Amino acid sequence: MSLPRNPLLSSTIYKLRQEFLELEKDSLKPKTWFKLTETMEKVVITGVIPTRGCSWALSETGGCSVCGYINDSSRDHKIPSEQIIEHIQQSLNQANPSKPIEFKLFNSGSFFDEDDIPQKLRSQIIDLLKKPNKIRLFSVESRPEYLLNHQDIINETNIRLKPITLEIGVGMESSNDAILRDCWNKGFLLDDYRESVQITRLNGIRIKTYVLIKPPFLTELEAICDSIRTSIDAIEIGTDIISFNPCTVQNGTLVNFLAKKNRFSPPWLWSVLHVIKTIRNQFPEQELICEPIAAGKQRGPHNCGKCDKNVLDLINRVINSKQIPNDLSNICPCYKRWQVLVTTPIEVFRTRNHSKLRFLNPLNE
Amino acid sequence: MSLEIEKCEGWGRIGRVFGKNGFITPNIVLLRFFDQDSFLSQNFLPKSLKCQENLIPSVLEKEIKSEKDSLSLQLSPKLFIYPSLQMQGKSLNDISCFEDLFPIDITKNSDSIASYHIIPWDLPIINLGQYNSYLKVLNDINEPELSNNTKLALNVPLMPEIFTQLLPILKDSTIEMVCLGDMSSLITHPTLLLKFLLHINSWVSPNIMLYAPGVPSSYIPILVYLGIDLFDLLFVEMSSVSKKRSDLIFEQNITVEFFLERLWLTKKALETGKLRDLSRIFANSFPPLKTLLRVADSQIPLENNTPLYGPNTLFCTDETDFTRPEVTRFRKRVQTRYTPPKHIRGIIFLPCSAKKPYSKSKSHSLFRRVIKRNMKRKYHLIEEVILTSPLGVVPRNLEYTFPAGHYDIPVTGKWSEIEKKHLITDITYFIDKLSPNIPMVGYVTGKEREILIEACSRSDRPIHLLSEEDGSLTSRENLQEFSRLLQDTFSSVPSKPKISAQLTFLRTVADYQFGKGIGSILIPNNVQIYGRKDFGFRVQLENKHLLTFRPKTGLLTLSLEAGERLSGYTSNTVTFDGDNIEGSTIFTNAIIKANEEICPNDEVLVVSTTDELLAVGTSYISGDLLVKMKRGKGIKIRQKVRRK
Ligand code: SF4
Ligand SMILES: [Zn+2]
């Protein structure tokens, strides 16, 4: 593992991303997005804010192979700081005042990256959150290198936030160095993740680990295996919570390029269920979450189209440690198809130029 | 372990893979999947399926219940599939020796069955079309030291840009099997599939077996005919979960048993020289299959590897047979190698008969009686030519020659456009070889008459025809008119001294077999001819045996004497590496040169590197294969030069 990245992959991603951003230069707009969900015991506010954008994605490495969040970031535009502050304030005002709040703020990059979020904006946000005195948890994201290199900023933030718990989400995606390098183009290896998580947790900060399900190039079976292995490794390293993210196809990404050529398709929901079920069985107490984006759609994780809703329910039940039927084949006939796909090496042979593997039987394609 | 060809037809072959645990192709490969994660097998697979070394059989094998099937599968090779390099936590840059490619040590495979191991893929390299970097690494690492039962296989997707890169790595390497990974996704795209096969065939040595994963059972015969040696049971496995009932009659409720039976049938067809016929039967079940067969004839040079003579009867039942290699070869040879004998002064075109050779039929004996009666001493100056489909023009002297004496067609009296087109072409070729003052009579009615008229008008030549357009040619009236026609047309033909009909006959066959003009070189006027056409001729020259005519095939077999006469004239020549042939068979490893046009069953001359005749014999396989195959029988020796 000498090189931290695969030049062929990285240059392809870079090319594709630049082409897309150039082409869509005028129509791409930074987007702010907020959502409130109220449960029995708490209010969860999820916000996505258009900061400058992930430095990794903006660099000449091209960024991660599946990530298109950069499309919604400010990039060369001015960061709409006032607007962001205003939205945060609004959402806090809207929250039910009798319940504690969990505030998840995603900048689709790294919260502790000075290039991505200017220091001023970051402190403004923190001050804003401290005021209402009802926030229990503040959750952000960061790449491991900032956890390692910006420990001072993180510690300072953590102290200022007290008594709010700080949670940092790290996109680990895979614990296999070759897959990190050759499939995700993450730019870091397992050891970087391990070190950053261990150091950060020493300061009482919670770590959320993202496990992406199904990278480009791998077969459905390989992707399942990799996600299971990754989750186990993340738990052993000490993550507080695992967030499973089934891969979606986003504009300007390598995955999009491959999907157009029929060389990539997002995972089956059965695969997602299988990964989560396996981890749940092994680690009954482990905190897990999974909120698939674009589930049931062509560009997101999906099954045959008839059972997608049901299987999403099952996924939720497993996440919440509830019972699900033993025999899944009764839920939908496509379960058997999926089972054959993953236990049969047909996918290993094909480069998928001319096949839609969800149909399996070449005569029906 | 390596492959010998025992029999071929088209690109299809029966191969025998030698070694302690050899097997025969076409065959099934049994797939073994490397267990990537024990969690998976716990969740997916019954415990009983797990086996040593973490290799899981493909699910279906547990369903093989019948004793016969499991017995036949015992003789099938195993193919091991490993996770990609990425799943193994490696990248191409990490590969420095052969062992790095695999998650386990495959060199110590002690399995009792022949085992093949697919070299794992490097995924981004493959999927981003950078196959060459992958092949380069494979090329650079040291050749592995494998045990005798263990061999490598390479998976090749449909990426035309990679084929040029394939050659160096496949040449003289330990890779003995190529998996055509995209085959199953191409089966409804026949033209692409054919292109893929053509590419593969031009780059992959015939010593390497071709394996097509996941194809339906109806494709087995035709894919074998197009060169595939190995299949698997993946299609059955995948079909087992399809709700949709298949539209294909041969794929309905497909089971392992049926699948294996198709394979068995294909093997039988190859053994009996009926593979093309079987392909046609299956091709008619599915339009893309039919397209495949049709296009194959025009795009793939199947002729050279189709035996010069085949089974007793050659069935031509539908339009795909009009272009089957046996037919095309006959038409081509009549067009290019046949020349009407110099003494010929008149031509009579006749219709074909169901009975072969034609002269044994009732109608032809009637015709010939009329001709003999009218021509009397000029009989030998007349050439009889039979018009037929799909062979086109059959000169009387070639009526015994395969396939003219062996074909069988459904009799309908109707001609399709393509049959018409072929016949017109062939008649035109024939007429253009005749000197312009030779009169021609056409004793044909119906469509043949129309076609003959059209062909003659194209060549701007008069033709004397029966006045009646339809009706029976064996009726008394028509035969009488035939007599008059002969009298009128040929009365002015001057009589000439008699030339031996047998001599002309043998020379015509020799031309057909060995090339234009060879007949008169091979068979001088002073030969002695013994026997009868129906029982065979033995031909001697100065009391030495020269050649034999075999009525069953309608072809000649040569003696050493004949070989001497043909030396330097015929292209059916094979160069032997050495100057002393031992035993009665020459193996392909001793052959360094062979003419490309040699086909299986062809008579060949074996010469030394200094072009000295060493022996005469029959080729088992095509000229191309004689040179390329590393092992196996090449030439069956009939007679060789005795050294003192
Ligand atoms: S996945 Fe995260 S690290 Fe990768 S490009 Fe997207 S935002 Fe950046
Ligand atoms: Zn379904």
Side-chain angles (χ1 to χ4, degrees):
Chain A
M1 265 308 137
S2 43
L3 274 170
R5 60 194 167 87
N6 177 334
L8 167 70
L9 187 73
S10 154
S11 61
T12 313
I13 295 172
Y14 180 70
K15 211 182 86 224
L16 292 168
R17 197 181 298 286
Q18 292 309 313
E19 272 167 19
F20 177 78
L21 291 177
E22 187 56 34
L23 207 71
E24 306 279 308
K25 203 164 52 193
D26 305 318
S27 52
L28 287 178
K29 282 227 175 62
K31 277 183 205 122
T32 317
W33 180 86
F34 276 87
K35 194 180 93 179
L36 263 78
T37 6
E38 195 175 326
T39 63
M40 292 288 274
E41 65 273 7
K42 64 184 176 195
V43 176
V44 179
I45 301 175
T46 312
V48 178
I49 54 170
T51 53
R52 181 165 164 270
C54 172
S55 302
W56 178 246
L58 287 170
S59 75
E60 280 189 5
T61 64
C64 302
S65 57
V66 294
C67 177
Y69 289 127
I70 195 72
N71 304 344
D72 298 332
S73 299
S74 297
R75 300 186 309 279
D76 310 333
H77 305 259
K78 189 175 160 293
I79 301 173
S81 298
E82 293 95 69
Q83 200 190 326
I84 291 173
I85 295 296
E86 198 178 308
H87 276 245
I88 295 178
Q89 187 62 59
Q90 259 174 28
S91 65
L92 286 172
N93 294 345
Q94 280 166 20
N96 182 340
S98 63
K99 289 183 186 173
I101 299 174
E102 279 184 14
F103 204 105
K104 299 181 179 175
L105 192 65
F106 302 138
N107 63 319
S108 306
S110 299
F111 194 72
F112 306 105
D113 173 5
E114 295 284 302
D115 291 336
D116 195 346
I117 294 197
Q119 202 250 320
K120 192 171 149 230
L121 179 58
R122 192 165 41 228
S123 6
Q124 274 179 319
I125 293 173
I126 289 164
D127 291 342
L128 204 58
L129 294 176
K130 286 203 65 165
K131 258 189 245 149
N133 215 4
K134 304 185 299 173
I135 298 186
R136 217 168 50 180
L137 179 94
F138 178 49
S139 182
V140 291
E141 304 171 321
S142 175
R143 286 176 54 84
E145 58 259 37
Y146 301 105
L147 302 189
L148 284 176
N149 304 337
H150 293 2
Q151 285 176 51
D152 42 341
I153 305 182
I154 294 169
N155 283 336
E156 189 204 306
T157 311
N158 191 27
I159 290 165
R160 279 183 66 186
L161 273 169
K162 287 252 143 49
I164 302 174
T165 311
L166 177 62
E167 178 184 84
I168 303 176
V170 181
M172 178 200 199
E173 331 305 9
S174 173
S175 61
N176 176 326
D177 281 346
I179 291 177
L180 282 170
R181 189 172 77 169
D182 291 347
C183 302
W184 295 121
N185 195 35
K186 283 311 279 190
F188 60 78
L189 302 177
L190 178 62
D191 283 342
D192 303 312
Y193 165 84
R194 189 199 315 273
E195 209 182 321
S196 65
V197 167
Q198 282 165 352
I199 287 180
T200 312
R201 287 189 82 241
L202 285 180
N203 297 317
I205 297 167
R206 267 168 66 90
I207 291 289
K208 172 164 75 180
T209 301
Y210 293 107
V211 174
L212 255 172
I213 300 178
K214 199 169 175 185
F217 310 130
L218 295 196
T219 65
E220 194 81 14
L221 174 68
E222 288 182 321
I224 293 171
C225 294
D226 181 52
S227 294
I228 293 173
R229 180 66 26 236
T230 303
S231 310
I232 294 169
D233 287 339
I235 292 167
E236 275 167 8
I237 288 170
T239 188
D240 294 278
I241 172 166
I242 291 181
S243 171
F244 294 101
N245 291 343
C247 191
T248 57
V249 177
Q250 298 170 4
N251 283 333
T253 62
L254 175 76
V255 156
N256 187 36
F257 165 81
L258 293 170
K260 276 198 222 142
K261 294 185 156 192
N262 257 329
R263 289 191 194 177
F264 176 81
S265 78
W268 290 63
L269 285 167
W270 291 124
S271 305
V272 178
L273 177 63
H274 183 81
V275 170
I276 296 175
K277 208 176 67 175
T278 310
I279 296 303
R280 179 49 83 222
N281 287 343
Q282 288 290 310
F283 306 95
E285 301 301 321
Q286 175 65 43
E287 208 180 321
L288 305 173
I289 51 171
C290 177
E291 286 157 357
I293 302 167
K297 294 192 181 133
Q298 214 44 46
R299 64 183 179 92
H302 62 278
N303 280 354
C304 66
K306 290 190 192 110
C307 61
D308 299 44
K309 267 226 163 68
N310 289 347
V311 179
L312 277 173
D313 279 350
L314 292 180
I315 290 174
N316 256 321
R317 291 184 67 87
V318 177
I319 290 280
N320 297 317
S321 301
K322 290 186 190 138
Q323 277 296 312
I324 62 161
N326 251 340
D327 186 2
L328 298 172
S329 58
N330 291 334
I331 291 168
C332 183
C334 78
Y335 181 75
K336 275 238 162 88
R337 248 198 284 155
W338 168 80
Q339 224 179 5
V340 169
L341 175 83
V342 288
T343 50
T344 306
I346 188 74
E347 216 189 345
V348 179
F349 291 113
R350 298 197 196 169
T351 47
R352 282 157 271 174
N353 289 24
H354 297 275
S355 69
K356 295 193 179 55
L357 280 169
R358 261 162 238 256
F359 288 100
L360 286 180
N361 185 331
L363 295 169
N364 297 338
E365 278 171 9
Chain B
M1 226 177 271
S2 55
L3 183 73
E4 292 186 4
I5 294 177
E6 295 208 326
K7 190 144 191 179
C8 36
E9 185 180 344
W11 278 1
R13 60 215 189 149
I14 289 184
R16 184 179 285 277
V17 177
F18 278 85
K20 199 170 108 236
N21 303 289
F23 56 93
I24 301 213
T25 71
N27 207 331
I28 293 283
V29 288
L30 297 173
L31 302 175
R32 293 286 184 281
F33 220 172
F34 186 81
D35 184 5
Q36 303 180 14
D37 204 302
S38 56
F39 285 106
L40 270 153
S41 28
Q42 273 169 28
N43 281 282
F44 286 140
L45 298 167
K47 288 255 159 31
S48 60
L49 277 184
K50 301 204 67 184
C51 61
Q52 23 87 269
E53 288 199 286
N54 252 11
L55 292 158
I56 317 166
S58 203
V59 190
L60 204 95
E61 265 174 67
K62 68 174 189 289
E63 283 162 26
I64 299 165
K65 293 184 199 92
S66 118
E67 207 172 302
K68 194 185 100 219
D69 290 344
S70 61
L71 211 67
S72 72
L73 288 177
Q74 269 172 24
L75 300 171
S76 301
K78 278 188 196 167
L79 182 62
F80 295 89
I81 300 164
Y82 298 96
S84 56
L85 290 178
Q86 277 66 35
M87 276 308 281
Q88 297 179 39
K90 302 166 191 162
S91 295
L92 208 54
N93 301 323
D94 306 327
I95 305 300
S96 54
C97 64
F98 176 77
E99 285 73 18
D100 288 343
L101 288 166
F102 294 89
I104 53 167
D105 185 359
I106 68 158
T107 56
K108 288 207 295 274
N109 193 301
S110 58
D111 214 306
S112 57
I113 300 181
S115 308
Y116 294 82
H117 301 259
I118 298 191
I119 299 172
W121 274 7
D122 176 80
L123 295 159
I125 292 275
I126 299 297
N127 281 284
L128 296 174
Q130 301 291 317
Y131 207 83
N132 45 355
S133 332
Y134 171 68
L135 294 176
K136 192 174 171 305
V137 170
L138 298 191
N139 233 349
D140 289 349
I141 56 178
N142 283 335
E143 288 256 320
E145 269 181 46
L146 297 169
S147 77
N148 213 16
N149 282 341
T150 306
K151 291 290 170 202
L152 297 181
L154 184 68
N155 191 15
V156 178
L158 173 78
M159 290 181 182
E161 67 269 22
I162 67 164
F163 293 116
T164 42
Q165 312 291 334
L166 263 178
L167 197 58
I169 179 158
L170 290 177
K171 204 161 64 184
D172 300 323
S173 74
T174 32
I175 293 170
E176 293 195 356
M177 185 196 295
V178 161
C179 317
L180 305 175
D182 276 323
M183 193 64 115
S184 65
S185 48
L186 282 181
I187 58 172
T188 48
H189 307 261
T191 40
L192 272 176
L193 192 146
L194 213 58
K195 222 159 123 194
F196 188 30
L197 285 175
L198 267 168
H199 275 303
I200 286 289
N201 185 275
S202 61
W203 291 112
V204 178
S205 139
N207 290 289
I208 292 173
M209 289 175 288
L210 297 181
Y211 155 47
V215 297
S217 73
S218 355
Y219 277 72
I220 296 177
I222 187 154
L223 287 180
V224 168
Y225 188 60
L226 297 178
I228 305 297
D229 303 296
L230 297 164
F231 299 88
D232 59 30
L233 297 169
L234 285 179
F235 181 80
V236 185
E237 198 159 322
M238 293 187 293
S239 303
S240 64
V241 290
S242 174
K243 292 174 298 187
K244 261 216 280 193
R245 184 100 85 66
S246 175
D247 271 347
L248 268 78
I249 187 76
F250 290 118
E251 308 303 339
Q252 307 240 356
N253 305 327
I254 183 82
T255 61
V256 175
E257 208 179 333
F258 285 143
F259 202 92
L260 293 177
E261 193 164 311
R262 308 266 141 86
L263 188 78
W264 179 83
L265 193 62
T266 308
K267 212 187 288 178
K268 270 278 161 296
L270 242 171
E271 279 166 13
T272 52
K274 292 280 183 189
L275 181 58
R276 171 73 187 217
D277 298 71
L278 192 68
S279 307
R280 181 221 305 126
I281 292 167
F282 279 86
N284 280 332
S285 69
F286 190 43
L289 258 175
K290 184 90 170 196
T291 314
L292 193 59
L293 189 60
R294 274 197 200 164
V295 185
D297 280 329
S298 60
Q299 304 209 340
I300 293 190
L302 294 163
E303 255 168 80
N304 288 350
N305 215 13
T306 300
L308 187 63
Y309 55 87
N312 292 338
T313 314
L314 185 83
F315 297 125
C316 295
T317 61
D318 74 10
E319 80 289 352
T320 53
D321 290 325
F322 301 158
T323 51
R324 62 184 289 171
E326 295 91 339
V327 170
T328 309
R329 175 167 51 212
F330 184 85
R331 291 183 53 222
K332 262 195 213 158
R333 288 196 178 190
V334 172
Q335 284 171 10
T336 58
R337 295 186 174 185
Y338 171 80
T339 23
K342 281 200 196 72
H343 60 269
I344 288 300
R345 288 293 172 270
I347 303 290
I348 303 172
F349 291 105
L350 295 170
C352 66
S353 65
K355 197 172 167 72
K356 311 281 166 359
Y358 311 115
S359 51
K360 297 283 162 233
S361 72
K362 270 209 182 109
S363 57
H364 275 249
S365 19
L366 271 175
F367 303 157
R368 298 189 82 186
R369 220 178 301 148
V370 173
I371 300 170
K372 267 188 190 152
R373 198 164 358 105
N374 287 290
M375 300 312 297
K376 299 203 176 73
R377 286 184 39 241
K378 292 184 199 164
Y379 180 64
H380 68 281
L381 301 177
I382 299 299
E383 176 86 321
E384 294 165 27
V385 177
I386 292 94
L387 303 182
T388 185
S389 174
L391 296 184
V393 165
V394 182
R396 176 70 76 196
N397 284 338
L398 287 177
E399 69 173 352
Y400 281 81
T401 302
F402 184 87
H406 311 73
Y407 72 103
D408 195 359
I409 49 167
V411 181
T412 58
K414 294 208 170 67
W415 289 64
S416 69
E417 278 311 306
I418 169 143
E419 289 173 281
K420 251 172 81 178
K421 210 183 98 204
H422 282 177
L423 187 54
I424 290 178
T425 312
D426 293 353
I427 296 175
T428 313
Y429 259 101
F430 182 84
I431 294 178
D432 291 349
K433 285 182 204 161
L434 300 169
S435 63
N437 52 3
I438 290 185
M440 305 189 294
V441 165
Y443 190 54
V444 285
T445 52
K447 268 279 176 279
E448 286 98 319
R449 190 174 185 275
E450 275 172 38
I451 293 168
L452 189 58
I453 292 173
E454 185 167 346
C456 288
S457 74
R458 276 193 199 185
S459 301
D460 201 17
R461 296 281 294 256
I463 175 92
H464 303 271
L465 294 158
L466 208 57
S467 52
E468 196 169 334
E469 284 175 21
D470 285 296
S472 163
L473 288 171
T474 48
S475 72
R476 186 190 296 268
E477 297 76 39
N478 277 338
L479 286 170
Q480 273 169 4
E481 196 186 340
F482 186 29
S483 289
R484 277 199 302 280
L485 209 57
L486 293 173
Q487 292 289 350
D488 296 351
T489 316
F490 299 124
S491 56
S492 57
V493 169
S495 65
K496 278 184 128 196
K498 194 163 159 60
I499 289 184
S500 158
Q502 291 171 343
L503 208 54
T504 314
F505 172 81
L506 290 169
R507 283 176 181 168
T508 307
V509 175
D511 275 6
Y512 175 89
Q513 213 174 332
F514 302 106
K516 190 171 172 174
I518 296 290
S520 43
I521 295 167
L522 179 62
I523 310 165
N525 287 342
N526 58 338
V527 292
Q528 300 95 46
I529 300 170
Y530 303 98
R532 280 173 50 191
K533 224 185 249 180
D534 293 340
F535 301 107
F537 289 127
R538 270 181 316 106
V539 182
Q540 289 196 344
L541 181 63
E542 288 154 3
N543 291 326
K544 276 192 240 152
H545 181 62
L546 186 66
L547 52 86
T548 310
F549 167 77
R550 295 166 61 209
K552 235 185 131 209
T553 58
L555 295 162
L556 310 175
T557 55
L558 305 178
S559 71
L560 210 51
E561 192 66 25
E564 292 288 2
R565 294 189 70 84
L566 285 185
S567 241
Y569 291 105
T570 177
S571 55
N572 286 15
T573 305
V574 167
T575 310
F576 176 76
D577 186 16
D579 38 31
N580 191 21
I581 299 168
E582 273 175 43
S584 59
T585 306
I586 298 182
F587 292 91
T588 50
N589 57 346
I591 294 170
I592 47 177
K593 224 168 81 186
N595 190 284
E596 279 184 0
E597 282 180 22
I598 294 172
C599 31
N601 292 343
D602 235 336
E603 290 290 301
V604 292
L605 274 51
V606 182
V607 299
S608 69
T609 43
T610 51
D611 280 340
E612 245 177 292
L613 183 71
L614 299 174
V616 288
T618 317
S619 182
Y620 284 104
I621 48 181
S622 71
D624 186 49
L625 291 176
L626 282 175
V627 178
K628 287 185 180 161
M629 290 306 293
K630 285 188 209 151
R631 288 186 58 145
K633 289 179 184 167
I635 311 282
K636 185 177 171 193
I637 299 296
R638 179 170 311 106
Q639 215 184 352
K640 54 185 172 183
V641 176
R642 304 231 173 267
R643 308 253 153 195
K644 270 150 236 151

